[in-house]
């Protein structure tokens, strides 16, 4: 048996994450991927990028320090391979490429800027196939700070995917026009025509937190009715109360409201009654993609 360590760095609009996996290779058995550690740093790049068009000097310094720390952590735990990906906040920042070059020089970490389609393809490398069945359609929704990726799985395969500039940080800063919501509604209804048997698969830190708040067991889906009631409850609380009474982190207590609204809207327009929460996302997909590319 051989145990290897792979890692993924996800530079998002709301936070930066380092995920490490133990990859267990045992002759004659299926390779196992087990999460060993997750480090999340709440550097909200989207508030800079989406409002003023560039990453501020303060957040640039925080980002570079985070990357240096991640590099040291990966060396300490013996990470063999890793990949770092940045999404909408870095893509849309005028100084995004400049900062990526600085990070490479100061930390040695090379960052790939990926778009929505690439993100959807990476996520498809995860264990979603264990949840997706041939006799049902699934709308996979990955809610981020800057954008939300939607992927339709039908007959066990990806049929279509699309990215909308509808993220939690954008919504908090009132940067989403009604037309964006209208376009999303039209798109969902169009692709799901003649697909009455549909469930949603939710991804991202907010839906994971909602599942934890629900008290449901791992693998047990959320219902549309519960999610709607929870949205009303969370929205009735102040930001302070969400932190003090519910124990939410300060950088989660605000974005959880718009995230829930996105999931609720998609469920309403698609007619989905259940939201599965497998707790996998871009970071998991990066690690699987790294491993699969090596073993093609």
């Amino acid at each position: 048996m051989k145990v290897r360590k792979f890692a993924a760095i996800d530079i998002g609009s709301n936070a930066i994450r380092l995920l490490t996996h133990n990859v267990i290779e045992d002759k004659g058995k299926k390779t196992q991927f087990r999460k060993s550690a997750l480090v999340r740093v709440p550097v909200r790049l989207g508030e800079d990028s989406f409002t003023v068009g560039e990453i501020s000097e303060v957040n640039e310094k925080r980002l570079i320090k985070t990357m240096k720390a991640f590099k040291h952590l990966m060396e300490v735990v013996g990470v063999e391979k890793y990949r770092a990906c940045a999404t909408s906040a870095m893509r849309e920042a005028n100084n995004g490429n400049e900062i990526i070059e600085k990070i490479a020089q100061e930390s040695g970490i090379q960052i790939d800027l990926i778009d929505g389609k690439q993100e959807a393809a990476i996520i498809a490398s995860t264990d979603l196939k264990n949840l997706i069945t041939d006799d049902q359609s699934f709308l996979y929704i990955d809610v981020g700070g800057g954008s939300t990726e939607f992927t339709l799985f039908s007959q066990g395969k990806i049929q279509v995917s699309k990215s909308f500039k509808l993220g939690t940080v954008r919504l908090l800063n009132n940067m989403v026009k009604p037309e964006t919501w209208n376009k999303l509604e039209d798109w969902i209804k169009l692709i799901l025509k003649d697909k009455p048997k549909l469930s949603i698969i939710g991804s991202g830190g907010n839906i994971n937190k909602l599942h934890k708040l629900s008290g449901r067991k791992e693998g047990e889906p959320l219902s549309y009715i519960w999610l709607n009631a929870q949205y009303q409850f969370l929205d009735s609380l102040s930001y302070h109360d969400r932190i003090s009474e519910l124990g939410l982190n300060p950088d989660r207590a605000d974005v959880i409201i718009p995230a829930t609204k996105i999931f609720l809207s998609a469920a309403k327009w698609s007619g989905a009654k259940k939201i599965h929460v497998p707790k996998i996302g871009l970071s998991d997909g990066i690690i699987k993609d790294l491993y699969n590319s090596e073993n093609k």
Side-chain angles (χ1 to χ4, degrees):
M1 183 176 72
K2 186 177 181 182
V3 179
R4 307 168 66 188
K5 283 194 179 288
F6 282 57
I9 296 173
D10 173 10
I11 302 170
S13 303
N14 191 45
I16 307 166
R17 301 169 186 82
L18 168 65
L19 174 68
T20 55
H21 268 211
N22 288 324
V23 180
I24 303 167
E25 298 173 328
D26 200 353
K27 194 172 182 179
K29 294 183 180 179
K30 184 180 178 183
T31 302
Q32 296 182 54
F33 295 81
R34 296 181 184 171
K35 293 181 184 181
S36 58
L38 173 66
V39 181
R40 181 179 181 275
V41 183
V43 181
R44 191 168 282 182
L45 300 176
E47 277 194 345
D48 292 340
S49 182
F50 306 144
T51 57
V52 297
E54 64 179 32
I55 306 300
S56 66
E57 187 177 348
V58 170
N59 275 340
E60 177 185 330
K61 289 179 179 178
R62 293 176 71 202
L63 177 55
I64 292 172
K65 286 180 180 179
T66 300
M67 291 299 106
K68 287 180 177 178
F70 283 0
K71 186 67 180 294
H72 290 313
L73 280 171
M74 289 191 291
E75 288 173 354
V76 168
V77 301
V79 167
E80 177 185 330
K81 284 192 173 184
Y82 73 91
R83 185 185 180 192
C85 292
T87 52
S88 57
M90 287 292 283
R91 260 197 333 263
E92 296 182 30
N94 295 328
N95 57 346
N97 287 318
E98 178 187 328
I99 293 174
I100 285 173
E101 288 179 12
K102 285 185 182 179
I103 289 170
Q105 291 169 3
E106 297 191 32
S107 72
I109 291 178
Q110 303 289 333
I111 297 171
D112 296 330
L113 280 176
I114 60 171
D115 59 27
K117 287 187 177 180
Q118 289 173 303
E119 193 169 346
I122 291 171
I123 290 168
S125 303
T126 64
D127 288 333
L128 282 178
K129 57 182 178 294
N130 297 334
L131 181 62
I132 292 167
T133 57
D134 292 345
D135 63 340
Q136 191 175 354
S137 296
F138 295 86
L139 185 61
Y140 180 89
I141 305 173
D142 182 31
V143 175
S147 62
T148 298
E149 323 306 329
F150 294 84
T151 304
L152 174 63
F153 288 85
S154 189
Q155 298 177 335
K157 297 178 181 178
I158 293 178
Q159 302 298 321
V160 64
S161 64
K162 191 173 178 65
S163 178
F164 287 84
K165 288 186 177 181
L166 188 72
T168 56
V169 178
R170 285 191 205 274
L171 285 164
L172 283 177
N173 287 278
N174 299 313
M175 298 187 69
V176 178
K177 297 178 180 178
E179 299 89 82
T180 304
W181 287 104
N182 295 336
K183 286 179 181 178
L184 174 60
E185 180 180 2
D186 292 343
W187 183 80
I188 287 176
K189 289 179 177 178
L190 177 64
I191 65 164
L192 298 182
K193 193 166 56 177
D194 304 323
K195 289 182 174 62
K197 194 177 180 184
L198 177 111
S199 292
I200 285 173
I201 300 173
S203 176
N206 290 293
I207 196 70
N208 291 345
K209 176 58 70 174
L210 286 163
H211 193 273
K212 186 175 182 179
L213 289 172
S214 76
R216 285 166 169 76
K217 296 177 181 177
E218 187 174 342
E220 187 179 353
L222 301 175
S223 69
Y224 174 82
I225 293 173
W226 180 87
L227 193 63
N228 187 42
Q230 187 69 3
Y231 174 74
Q232 302 299 330
F233 169 66
L234 289 169
D235 198 36
S236 70
L237 297 177
S238 67
Y239 173 72
H240 177 272
D241 286 343
R242 285 178 227 136
I243 296 171
S244 62
E245 302 297 326
L246 298 183
L248 297 180
N249 289 331
D251 66 304
R252 178 72 65 206
D254 53 358
V255 294
I256 198 168
I257 301 293
T260 309
K261 183 179 179 180
I262 293 171
F263 282 110
L264 274 176
S265 299
K268 178 182 177 181
W269 297 327
S270 66
K273 303 300 181 187
K274 292 181 180 179
I275 299 96
H276 298 274
V277 188
K279 297 184 180 178
I280 53 178
L282 179 62
S283 299
D284 303 88
I286 290 171
I287 290 173
K288 284 288 182 69
D289 194 47
L290 268 177
Y291 186 80
N292 291 338
S293 296
E294 178 189 85
N295 290 276
K296 278 183 180 178

